Amino acid sequence: MRTPLYDSHVKMGARVIDFHGWDMPVWYSGIKEEHMATRGGAGIFDASHMGEIWVSGPDCAGFLNRILTVDVAVLEEGKVKYTFFLNEEAGIIDDIIVYCTRPKEEYMLCVNSSNIEKDFAWLKAHRKEGVEIVDKSPATAMIALQGPLAGEVLERVISFDYDGLKRFYFQTAHTSFGNLIISRTGYTGSDGVEIFMNAEYSPGLWAALIDKGATPCGLGARDTLRLEMGYPLHGNDLDETTTPLEAGLKFAVDMNKPEFIGRPVLEKQLASGLKKRLVGLVMEEKGIPRQGYSCGSEGVTGSITSGSISPVLDTGIALAYMDASVNYGDAAYVVIRDKKLAARIKKPPFVKTNLTK
């Protein structure tokens, strides 16, 4: 599968790889260069492989409240929330961003690319009378413009009040690139926006943003950027065997809601305590921690779910599931090529950005 920006990537010389069935750019000039361009300026990412599923109807809020972990009924128009689909065991089917387009009448769900069909089927399986569910992913493009200069670059291309848009809110804009949904969100830990639009207009907007100063970036930089912030990735750090509490994502679960799928298991975890949890690791010896490597600390062992070199810190960082008894600051190790290399347990984020200062 290819996004509507595929030809643009090839024309600009990107290295393209297969990513869960999608031909996607992994880098243009290099992962570190694109990473630092985003941290210091404005990076632009093709996120059109992500899915957009629209849910509407007179009882859509009640329907979504049954299958999402946040209370969508209280969201005002333009509000954005991070949430989950959970199975009956509270395992994470997918992590999702919900956009309130018309309170209690219409919502857009942005879902992970590899889970579009699964999520759509999950919604259909739980659908109630009077709820309409439409997958608009094939017709929708998504561009992420991220970095401290993202607002300046955006306003060079379209008329838009960037400073007037609060974090985790979106606005619609009517432009020469069609109607845009511009959301003050992102997956890099730097300030910026994510833009949804009709797919046919995306090559024009992509080119215009680059012409006005944005650096094209691939999936490689997107991964190191999110890892520096400790943002989990579904398929690596999140799956149907882990719960939001184990992943340290309690903020995206509204336990005040009387009912949602998976809630009883989360109640038990809150009452009895967790057996494992997701923690950060920083290497104290030279080595690159990778997904699947073993790690440990003070008699307990664990497994790395994401790892790489931090371009900002120039050292290895990782996320790992370990016994819940470990503490931040504890000495740890990572097994690399049969050697236990020294590391330390740290609470993410690993670096400070213009959002975390």
Side-chain angles (χ1 to χ4, degrees), residues 3 29 31 46 61 84 88 92 100 112 124 166 169 176 190 223 236 261 272 323 330 337:
T3 76
S29 55
I31 293 174
D46 179 11
F84 304 101
E88 299 290 351
I92 298 172
C100 180
N112 283 294
K124 285 285 191 181
K166 294 190 294 184
Y169 279 83
S176 59
S190 290
D223 193 55
N236 284 40
I261 297 173
S272 61
D323 189 280
D330 285 353
R337 295 178 181 174

Side-chain angles (χ1 to χ4, degrees), residues 36 67 91 109 172 174 182 298:
M36 300 308 287
I67 58 174
L109 308 180
T172 57
H174 308 291
I182 302 175
E298 299 181 357

Side-chain angles (χ1 to χ4, degrees), residues 300-356:
V300 302
T301 59
S303 180
I304 289 174
T305 50
S306 291
S308 187
I309 291 287
S310 160
V312 170
L313 300 176
D314 195 27
T315 192
I317 58 174
L319 296 175
Y321 278 101
M322 300 186 72
D323 189 280
S325 63
V326 300
N327 297 302
Y328 296 124
D330 285 353
Y333 64 84
V334 177
V335 180
I336 300 177
R337 295 178 181 174
D338 297 325
K339 293 183 179 179
K340 289 184 176 180
L341 301 183
R344 193 160 297 276
I345 298 173
K346 176 178 170 50
K347 183 179 181 179
F350 297 101
V351 303
K352 293 185 181 299
T353 69
N354 58 332
L355 289 183
T356 61

Side-chain angles (χ1 to χ4, degrees), residues 184-198:
R184 192 79 176 261
T185 53
Y187 193 48
T188 64
S190 290
D191 200 3
V193 294
E194 293 174 305
I195 306 170
F196 300 87
M197 76 201 75
N198 189 308

